[in-house]
Amino acid sequence: MDDKTHWERVYSARAPESVSWYQPHASRSLALISRVALDSRDPIIDVGGGASVLVDELLDAGYTDLTVLDLARSALAVAKSRLGPRAESVHWLEADVRSVALPNAHYAVWHDRAVFHFLTEPADRDAYVAHVERAVRPGGHVLVATFAEDGPTQCSGLPVVRYSAAELHGAFGSAFDLLSSEREEHVTPAGAHQSFVYCLCRRV
Ligand SMILES: C[S@@+](CC[C@H](N)C(=O)[O-])C[C@H]1O[C@@H](n2cnc3c(N)ncnc32)[C@H](O)[C@@H]1O
């Protein structure tokens, strides 16, 4: 089964609050983004945003230029439906982050929680990082969260790559300065504990 079919099925078959990566609040992401996105008009993209409530919370915080990209139309449909009329102020992109055409040097913040770790092939990681380098403006920020070194080896039944903060920063390379990293113990709706690492980098 290809990736798009997998993710479309997940979001069509399961309630958004029941998936293992569900968060009732995207508090850590919101706090870190707020630290670096100082102008409410800063363009922010949530890559593989799925049905996350981060977009709701960024709108609540006053941000006006938001893009949510996801492979799965069914995931974006959940978020749009939840937001109601507020969804019209968000740019929605149904696309694969490895091949999407994004504007050059545009985004002030690139956010990814639990997407980069699915890229188990070096060529896919290279394609992803090349997109970040092109799409994030110089001085802009990249906030990526993956399973940590001691996190699960799979997510949604798919294999993942686990990272320490140094490894995650290393995957992005010298075009990005590491500003900070944090661990988070995520508790899934079923009560399992999953270690995440968040890296906040600045595009040189
Ligand atoms: C584990 S979920 C995380 C969703 C969201 N970031 C969150 O924290 O709730 C992974 C998401 O990435 C999306 N995804 C997986 N591979 C992708 C790709 N190559 N391009 C774009 N989105 C992708 C999936 O559809 C899914 O919504």
Side-chain angles (χ1 to χ4, degrees):
M1 187 190 308
D2 67 21
D3 290 344
K4 181 168 173 64
T5 306
H6 171 84
W7 289 107
E8 293 288 9
R9 285 189 185 175
V10 167
Y11 286 103
S12 302
R14 304 205 35 202
E17 302 81 12
S18 73
V19 294
S20 59
W21 54 92
Y22 172 72
Q23 296 177 297
H25 298 286
S27 307
R28 187 170 304 259
S29 295
L30 182 65
L32 289 165
I33 291 170
S34 305
R35 191 190 295 174
V36 295
L38 302 179
D39 187 325
S40 61
R41 295 164 299 179
D42 280 344
I44 299 171
I45 184 166
D46 187 14
V47 173
S52 169
V53 298
L54 177 63
V55 63
D56 311 43
E57 295 179 339
L58 289 168
L59 285 170
D60 291 343
Y63 291 104
T64 56
D65 190 342
L66 302 177
T67 300
V68 180
L69 179 155
D70 203 280
L71 200 51
R73 176 186 295 253
S74 49
L76 299 178
V78 171
K80 286 182 191 174
S81 159
R82 188 182 62 232
L83 282 167
R86 292 208 298 167
E88 287 167 25
S89 62
V90 177
H91 310 289
W92 303 95
L93 283 179
E94 179 190 340
D96 188 320
V97 65
R98 294 166 291 191
S99 54
V100 65
L102 293 171
N104 281 340
H106 178 68
Y107 296 103
V109 180
W110 174 290
H111 174 267
D112 165 345
R113 174 178 178 268
V115 187
F116 185 73
H117 66 194
F118 289 111
L119 304 180
T120 55
E121 295 297 327
D124 285 338
R125 292 196 290 274
D126 290 348
Y128 180 108
V129 172
H131 280 300
V132 183
E133 283 189 26
R134 269 199 300 275
V136 175
R137 66 191 191 195
H141 293 84
V142 182
L143 175 57
V144 180
T146 66
F147 283 160
E149 288 166 297
D150 55 341
T153 55
Q154 291 199 332
C155 179
S156 190
L158 301 175
V160 300
V161 181
R162 300 178 294 174
Y163 293 91
S164 66
E167 288 166 343
L168 185 51
H169 176 232
F172 281 76
S174 58
F176 302 90
D177 285 337
L178 179 62
L179 299 185
S180 66
S181 64
E182 298 178 13
R183 284 174 55 94
E184 181 176 65
E185 286 303 307
H186 170 64
V187 182
T188 73
H193 287 244
Q194 300 181 330
S195 305
F196 275 78
V197 60
Y198 286 68
C199 279
L200 179 63
C201 298
R202 185 172 178 276
R203 173 82 169 91
V204 176

